[in-house]
């Protein structure tokens, strides 16, 4: 589910960056951004989030997800 969110949001932000104009979007760059986000999300998520150590929606889980999102933003 998290991976699908990254695919959708990166695509949406790429289109919004060009004000939804009919300009060609570099699909290769978008695919690299999605690939980087997916790899980081699944690898860090497997270590930090998906093990079930935090309650769903707890502050600890939200902070961890925010850190992963920040790391993905920096890596891109």
């Amino acid at each position: 589910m998290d991976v699908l969110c990254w695919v959708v949001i990166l695509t949406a932000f790429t289109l919004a960056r060009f004000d939804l104009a009919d300009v060609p979007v570099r699909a290769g760059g978008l695919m690299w951004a999605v690939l980087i986000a997916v790899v980081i999300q699944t690898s860090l998520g497997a270590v930090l989030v998906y093990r079930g150590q935090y309650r769903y929606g707890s502050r600890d889980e939200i902070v961890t997800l925010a850190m992963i999102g920040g790391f993905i933003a920096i890596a891109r």
Side-chain angles (χ1 to χ4, degrees):
M1 183 61 131
D2 293 334
V3 170
L4 178 63
C5 290
W6 279 111
V7 171
V8 170
I9 202 69
L10 286 173
T11 304
F13 271 86
T14 300
L15 294 175
R17 177 179 176 223
F18 297 109
D19 295 327
L20 302 174
D22 194 19
V23 295
V25 175
R26 290 183 17 213
L30 178 61
M31 292 303 290
W32 273 110
V34 168
L35 180 66
I36 290 169
V38 166
V39 167
I40 292 173
Q41 178 69 43
T42 54
S43 60
L44 289 181
V47 173
L48 299 173
V49 178
Y50 304 137
R51 296 185 321 175
Q53 65 188 24
Y54 302 124
R55 286 186 53 216
Y56 180 72
S58 69
R59 184 177 2 155
D60 293 329
E61 183 186 38
I62 292 170
V63 168
T64 304
L65 288 173
M67 288 189 314
I68 291 172
F71 186 74
I72 290 172
I74 292 170
R76 188 174 178 295

